[in-house]
Amino acid sequence: MAELKTSAELAAPAAAVWELLTDFGDIQRWWPADGLIQMERVELEGSGIGMIRHIYNKGIPGFISERLDFLDPATRTWMLSIVGTRPRGITAYIAEGHLVELGADRCRIDYRANVTTEPGREEQVKKGLLTTWTVMFRGLEQAAQKLAHERHGGR
């Protein structure tokens, strides 16, 4: 099992980013509608800790199932795992995110995952995950900026 880590600074308030992240079932609210990875739909199973979101992406057969394993508002930490059929090359995936406030309109996400891959697929999986995470961070930043703008009366 290998650990993959990254951090991203977002030009958005931590409270807005956290609000989006904690609504685990509504990932389409903040996932970019354009770009490399486009969601077709999300189906939910359960609610709260233990809930699973089945994500169907355009042009990709099947779905990815992510389970919310942990959520701590006090430390703004969350954990999720991919369950069921995993993306090609991945045999196990557990991720942890931590949101850090850097100021009124800035925050940082520290994100890491323990990933096990099929032999010889390590670099391909690493590249794919880093690309996916970059899309995730961009979507969160844009949606949180919009949310903060709406909350402050369009100012």
Side-chain angles (χ1 to χ4, degrees):
M1 186 167 283
E3 183 178 69
L4 184 58
K5 296 166 89 172
T6 192
S7 289
E9 285 194 21
L10 308 181
V17 173
W18 184 247
E19 181 179 329
L20 294 167
L21 285 168
T22 58
D23 189 358
F24 191 75
D26 198 7
I27 188 173
Q28 286 184 287
R29 179 178 176 193
W30 55 265
W31 193 270
D34 60 344
L36 184 64
I37 304 165
Q38 297 179 14
M39 285 188 190
E40 187 174 292
R41 72 182 189 280
V42 177
E43 295 177 2
L44 303 179
E45 185 180 322
S47 62
I49 304 301
M51 77 180 296
I52 299 172
R53 60 185 180 199
H54 303 287
I55 302 168
Y56 294 80
N57 293 311
K58 293 180 182 175
I60 300 173
F63 54 90
I64 297 169
S65 299
E66 295 179 335
R67 182 183 61 214
L68 179 61
D69 296 320
F70 179 79
L71 194 61
D72 182 12
T75 61
R76 288 187 172 146
T77 301
W78 70 99
M79 294 179 71
L80 65 87
S81 52
I82 297 176
V83 297
T85 303
R86 291 166 186 84
R88 188 166 39 177
I90 296 176
T91 56
Y93 179 95
I94 302 169
E96 177 182 345
H98 182 69
L99 182 64
V100 179
E101 187 168 347
L102 300 177
D105 293 321
R106 295 199 66 75
C107 61
R108 184 184 74 238
I109 295 178
D110 297 322
Y111 204 72
R112 67 186 182 102
N114 287 315
V115 183
T116 304
T117 65
E118 295 170 356
R121 303 292 298 259
E122 297 84 4
E123 283 307 308
Q124 183 180 8
V125 166
K126 178 181 176 181
K127 182 180 177 186
L129 287 174
L130 290 174
T131 298
T132 301
W133 293 354
T134 298
V135 172
M136 176 177 78
F137 298 144
R138 180 174 62 91
L140 280 166
E141 180 178 58
Q142 291 173 347
Q145 288 171 345
K146 181 179 177 188
L147 180 61
H149 182 75
E150 290 169 356
R151 292 271 159 80
H152 293 96
R155 288 180 284 153

